[in-house]
Amino acid sequence: MGWDLSVPDWRERIREGRSLLPALPDLDRARADRAIKIFNKLRLPDVPGTPALAEAGGEWFREIVGALHGSVKPNTRERMIREVFLLAPKKSSKTSYGAALMETTLLMNDRPRAEFLLIAPTVSLAHIAFSQALGMVEKDPEGFLQKRMHIQEHLRRITDRRTKATLEIKAFDTSVLTGVKPTGVLLDELHEIAKAPAAERLIGQLRGGLLPNPEGFLMFITTQSDEPPRGAFRSELMVARAIRDGRSQGAMLPVLYEFPEEIADDRGNPPAWQDPANWWMVTPNRDRSVSIPRLEEDWEKAKLKGQGEIVRWASQHLNIEIGLALRSDRWVGADYWEQAAEKSLTLDEVLARSEVVVIGIDGGGLDDLLGLAVLGRAEKTRQWMLWSKAWAHASVLERRKGEASVLRDFEEAGELVIYEEFGQDIAEIAELAQRIENKGLLHAVALDPYGVGAIVDALYEVGITGEDRIVGISQGWKLTGAIKTAERKLADKSLRHSGQKLMAWAVANARVEPKGNAIIITKQASGSAKIDPLMAAFNAIALMSTNPWSHQAQIFVI
């Protein structure tokens, strides 16, 4: 039977500065203490005076070292904590502590020719990690480590002469990680590694390679992502949170230095996370590698650079999970997008509360998403309510490998349909439009006039036809009115949306380009990033702005 690694009272613990590790009554205390003793003797080679970790290291990380190594059962060699997920902010000495942990593991190991890996997201970071590990060997004042370890700098490899076990420090790359069968692996900065198209597959292969070794382990060390969480980072983070909160069981030890929801919430004025009095909670290595006053100085500089830098700074130094990647050329509506979310706003809820509904459609090429927006208007309050969905042919996953993991996340959330049979997307949109039509709510369908033949034909089949029911919306600068309307309505919350991750992603991808007195948001301005669901919403907003009252024949010039 596995150990209970939940920490359901983590909010109270982090507010009080207590340990975030769960109670571990079955921990082999002698083995844990031995690992901590080895860890403490290692020295930080890049700090003046090269202090030992006994004085320079954080107690919070020592606890992790003890828990990981003390979880091995003596009789079976089975490791009860097979994985660790550590979320700690930038400047927490994560790379140095990680190198020390893996060197401790190498010294604790008694398996002949065992292979241990420390994997960094880039070659430069791999060099930094190896420099730390090498320095710890060279700075041993007693000379014990120099005698015991064989160093191969060109391979970034350290070999224990006693067991022939190795610690290799590598950059994350398909060619060097395929087929390995390690005993222990540490992945540094998972949020960066997860951006690689093959990240999930390679992490799966590493897990598979660890299975034959009962004492095998996989450890993730990372800060929060500087963009909305995606792929392997998002999935591992979700698992860690579920175990921490007691919603799931598993062999992953979750150690997450993040604010409770009421502090991380971005809706205050100013948000509570911006108060330096709260920062100590998520800064476990404070007064060692970083100090709160130093963070305050850095924060003031970040604020001078604008919203994009504020968001990036908060994600890296305070582990604030961001919903939108706000940049300097972002759409202004992105600043108000999250505050306008209403999570309970399902399609059924939009239809139940609306007196009239319009549909917006955009995209649909085989290298594209087909975006759909259902926009309703409430009868009494006249509030606008937006619900969205998208479709993508399976071939998009191959053509856009860099986006495949995030598209799969949207599919899992039910916000995106990835289909194999051509025409499924258009057929499902027509079916949805017919459902709204049958309720007597649908005014018209708004779409880009170009390349819509198949959609028009499908709508005709369900009885939606004619220029008054299928309205072409001019694109480019002519959408400026819809874009500005969306901005104002998001700001005053007279436009509410469903809080879907798909739309947050599309909003984050949007880039604004000035065009005379107008502004444009186009696929060209946004590069390869997908914005089709947002463009579908703008089409719907353009039509709703004509103040429709019924689906009876009316002709509007947009």
Side-chain angles (χ1 to χ4, degrees):
M1 185 175 178
W3 287 3
D4 180 6
L5 299 178
S6 65
V7 192
D9 62 340
W10 69 270
R11 296 170 183 83
E12 291 75 24
R13 290 183 179 217
I14 204 164
R15 284 181 178 278
E16 297 167 7
R18 292 190 285 135
S19 170
L20 296 184
L21 268 66
L24 300 171
D26 297 322
L27 194 72
D28 183 340
R29 193 67 255 176
R31 183 177 173 84
D33 289 344
R34 180 179 166 226
I36 292 172
K37 185 176 180 180
I38 294 172
F39 178 84
N40 280 342
K41 286 186 175 181
L42 298 174
R43 293 179 172 271
L44 293 176
D46 59 346
V47 175
T50 61
L53 286 169
E55 58 176 295
E59 183 61 29
W60 63 281
F61 199 89
R62 260 190 290 274
E63 289 183 331
I64 297 172
V65 173
L68 179 63
H69 291 90
S71 67
V72 179
K73 288 187 172 182
N75 51 341
T76 64
R77 297 178 62 87
E78 180 183 7
R79 192 183 297 273
M80 303 306 292
I81 296 176
R82 291 188 62 84
E83 299 189 5
V84 177
F85 190 100
L86 170 61
L87 181 71
K90 197 173 181 179
K91 303 299 182 183
S92 293
S93 295
K94 297 188 302 298
T95 299
S96 297
Y97 289 171
L101 180 143
M102 294 305 288
E103 207 156 295
T104 297
T105 304
L106 187 62
L107 290 163
M108 291 281 292
N109 168 71
D110 58 7
R111 176 180 287 274
R113 300 188 181 277
E115 181 181 2
F116 298 98
L117 298 175
L118 193 163
I119 300 172
T122 64
V123 172
S124 62
L125 289 176
H127 279 302
I128 291 172
F130 180 74
S131 176
Q132 292 296 101
L134 173 62
M136 290 174 188
V137 172
E138 294 176 337
K139 296 300 180 181
D140 176 18
E142 299 174 6
F144 169 76
L145 293 180
Q146 294 93 317
K147 294 177 182 177
R148 181 161 168 174
M149 300 300 180
H150 173 56
I151 306 295
Q152 294 170 283
E153 291 192 44
H154 64 293
L155 298 175
R156 293 196 297 269
R157 179 188 295 162
I158 300 174
T159 302
D160 185 339
R161 300 180 193 273
R162 181 176 61 88
T163 61
K164 306 301 180 185
T166 61
L167 168 61
E168 283 194 68
I169 299 178
K170 299 183 176 184
F172 189 83
D173 181 80
T174 306
S175 61
V176 298
L177 296 180
T178 302
V180 297
K181 294 183 178 180
T183 301
V185 180
L186 187 154
L187 275 77
D188 193 17
E189 297 297 10
L190 177 63
H191 76 284
E192 290 292 339
I193 287 174
K195 295 176 183 178
E200 288 187 291
R201 177 172 60 84
L202 289 177
I203 290 173
Q205 289 178 351
L206 287 172
R207 278 196 169 102
L210 287 164
L211 286 177
N213 298 323
E215 75 272 30
F217 71 87
L218 176 62
M219 182 170 181
F220 303 105
I221 298 182
T222 186
T223 61
Q224 182 55 260
S225 176
D226 57 358
E227 60 184 34
R230 60 183 294 182
F233 173 72
R234 179 179 179 274
S235 58
E236 301 297 343
L237 177 60
M238 293 301 103
V239 169
R241 284 174 174 165
I243 293 173
R244 176 195 64 184
D245 297 345
R247 293 181 283 110
S248 180
Q249 292 293 313
M252 176 185 282
L253 176 68
V255 187
L256 310 175
Y257 285 93
E258 58 183 1
F259 288 122
E261 296 83 349
E262 62 272 17
I263 297 179
D265 194 313
D266 204 28
R267 299 182 189 182
N269 189 24
W273 62 261
Q274 292 190 14
D275 185 353
N278 291 322
W279 293 355
W280 66 270
M281 298 182 206
V282 294
T283 313
N285 220 50
R286 61 189 179 276
D287 299 327
R288 291 185 176 86
S289 56
V290 68
S291 68
I292 301 301
R294 182 65 182 270
L295 285 177
E296 289 186 59
E297 292 177 16
D298 206 38
W299 167 242
E300 292 301 323
K301 294 177 184 177
K303 288 193 292 184
L304 295 174
K305 297 178 181 179
Q307 185 66 22
E309 178 63 12
I310 287 173
V311 171
R312 187 209 64 79
W313 190 94
S315 71
Q316 298 300 283
H317 293 282
L318 301 178
N319 278 339
I320 296 293
E321 180 177 328
I322 60 176
L324 300 175
L326 302 180
R327 298 176 174 88
S328 59
D329 58 350
R330 69 192 182 281
W331 172 46
V332 172
D335 292 3
Y336 306 100
W337 186 260
E338 289 183 307
Q339 72 179 27
E342 188 176 324
K343 298 288 187 180
S344 61
L345 203 57
T346 62
L347 174 60
D348 289 339
E349 184 70 13
V350 170
L351 300 183
R353 290 164 54 180
S354 296
E355 60 166 344
V356 65
V357 170
V358 298
I359 291 175
I361 300 173
D362 187 81
L366 293 184
D367 191 30
D368 225 344
L369 303 186
L370 178 56
L372 170 83
V374 176
L375 182 64
R377 188 182 69 211
E379 182 174 5
K380 294 182 179 179
T381 64
R382 297 183 65 82
Q383 186 176 65
W384 292 7
M385 298 164 288
L386 176 68
W387 178 87
S388 304
K389 193 167 184 176
W391 286 257
H393 188 262
S395 60
V396 172
L397 301 180
E398 287 300 315
R399 292 190 179 97
R400 303 282 186 175
K401 290 184 178 181
E403 297 171 341
S405 62
V406 73
L407 294 179
R408 286 296 187 190
D409 288 343
F410 299 145
E411 180 188 35
E412 184 181 338
E415 299 171 7
L416 173 70
V417 176
I418 298 177
Y419 62 93
E420 298 278 354
E421 184 177 347
F422 293 112
Q424 177 185 333
D425 52 345
I426 293 174
E428 291 184 5
I429 284 179
E431 181 182 344
L432 189 149
Q434 184 181 35
R435 173 186 168 191
I436 301 173
E437 171 80 348
N438 291 343
K439 287 180 174 289
L441 294 172
L442 182 63
H443 169 67
V445 177
L447 35 70
D448 184 340
Y450 296 100
V452 298
I455 297 174
V456 171
D457 291 344
L459 292 173
Y460 177 83
E461 291 296 325
V462 297
I464 302 171
T465 185
E467 292 182 1
D468 59 325
R469 307 301 311 285
I470 303 175
V471 182
I473 304 294
S474 299
Q475 303 295 293
W477 65 268
K478 292 184 179 181
L479 264 183
T480 297
I483 294 170
K484 293 292 186 181
T485 296
E487 292 170 4
R488 294 186 66 87
K489 283 189 164 291
L490 286 167
D492 66 19
K493 298 185 181 179
S494 59
L495 168 60
R496 308 291 285 183
H497 61 83
S498 303
Q500 295 160 301
K501 292 185 180 296
L502 169 71
M503 281 298 290
W505 177 67
V507 169
N509 288 339
R511 300 290 175 271
V512 171
E513 181 181 324
K515 207 75 170 179
N517 293 327
I519 60 169
I520 61 173
I521 296 177
T522 65
K523 294 172 186 177
Q524 290 76 22
S526 300
S528 61
K530 298 297 183 185
I531 60 170
D532 307 271
L534 178 62
M535 299 307 292
F538 288 147
N539 289 340
I541 288 167
L543 186 54
M544 186 64 83
S545 297
T546 64
N547 196 29
W549 285 100
S550 74
H551 68 276
Q552 300 301 318
Q554 300 179 45
I555 299 176
F556 299 101
V557 179
I558 305 299

